[in-house]
């Protein structure tokens, strides 16, 4: 598997992607540290480090004629009052995944998972399901009924 600890001596959690080595080959992995966004994005960003991280792992099934796929795993900031920061973290993750896959395997689909600390009415959810054109497995599996389902692209 692949593990990225949060970039803080006091925090032991992080992101982990586990896979069966007898079924998949790890083609590429990279970590993302979101603290760089605090200064790069500008307005309404906290003046403290969040220590949130993400990782991308490109896997290739060992079975013949099977295509590679990328697993993105993220832990976004928890505080709902920093919606802009969480959205910037989600954008960074998707842009990094897009750039990485363009170089390594443009046909590989992206499976995105993690702790987004966001609800379906949030800007993060809207970005992921509309701007980034990702589908929510939660909605697809019936996590919402017709009365409360956010619109899908």
């Amino acid at each position: 598997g692949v593990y990225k600890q949060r970039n803080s001596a006091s925090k032991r959690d992080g992101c982990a992607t586990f896979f069966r080595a007898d079924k998949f080959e790890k083609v590429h992995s990279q970590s993302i540290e979101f603290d760089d966004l605090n200064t790069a994005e500008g307005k309404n960003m906290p003046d403290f480090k969040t220590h949130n991280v993400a990782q991308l792992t490109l896997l290739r099934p060992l079975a013949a004629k099977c295509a590679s796929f990328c697993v993105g795993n993220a832990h976004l900031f928890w505080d709902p009052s920093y919606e802009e920061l969480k959205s910037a973290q989600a954008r960074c993750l998707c842009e990094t995944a897009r750039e990485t896959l363009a170089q390594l395997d443009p046909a590989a689909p992206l499976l995105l998972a993690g702790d987004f600390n966001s609800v379906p009415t949030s800007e993060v959810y809207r970005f992921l399901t509309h701007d980034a054109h990702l589908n929510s497995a939660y909605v697809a599996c019936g996590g919402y009924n017709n009365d409360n389902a956010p619109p899908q692209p």
Side-chain angles (χ1 to χ4, degrees):
V2 180
Y3 174 68
K4 170 60 180 163
Q5 182 177 338
R6 289 173 68 173
N7 56 344
S8 168
S10 65
K11 307 230 184 229
R12 299 253 182 224
D13 63 329
C15 293
T17 301
F18 298 100
F19 57 92
R20 290 183 50 170
D22 63 331
K23 301 284 184 184
F24 300 96
E25 169 192 10
K26 180 179 74 172
V27 177
H28 174 81
S29 67
Q30 74 184 81
S31 298
I32 302 167
E33 295 187 1
F34 292 126
D35 280 340
D36 295 337
L37 292 173
N38 292 10
T39 55
E41 289 287 324
K43 61 182 181 180
N44 201 24
M45 294 295 159
D47 59 354
F48 55 86
K49 302 284 187 192
T50 66
H51 306 294
N52 292 99
V53 296
Q55 61 183 187
L56 297 170
T57 308
L58 184 63
L59 298 172
R60 180 179 301 126
L62 296 177
K65 299 182 183 176
C66 291
S68 298
F69 61 96
C70 183
V71 177
N73 187 1
H75 187 179
L76 304 186
F77 192 52
W78 67 272
D79 190 334
S81 64
Y82 287 99
E83 189 71 21
E84 186 176 328
L85 172 63
K86 294 193 294 188
S87 293
Q89 291 175 340
R91 281 193 309 276
C92 175
L93 173 61
C94 290
E95 289 169 8
T96 303
R98 194 170 297 117
E99 291 167 2
T100 300
L101 289 175
Q103 293 176 4
L104 298 175
D105 188 346
L110 173 65
L111 173 68
L112 191 57
D115 182 353
F116 298 101
N117 284 308
S118 299
V119 296
T121 56
S122 70
E123 176 61 26
V124 170
Y125 187 90
R126 190 204 61 73
F127 168 77
L128 292 172
T129 59
H130 293 280
D131 298 350
H133 306 290
L134 299 173
N135 293 317
S136 171
Y138 187 64
V139 169
C141 292
Y144 291 97
N145 60 41
N146 291 336
D147 295 328
N148 67 357
Q152 287 289 300

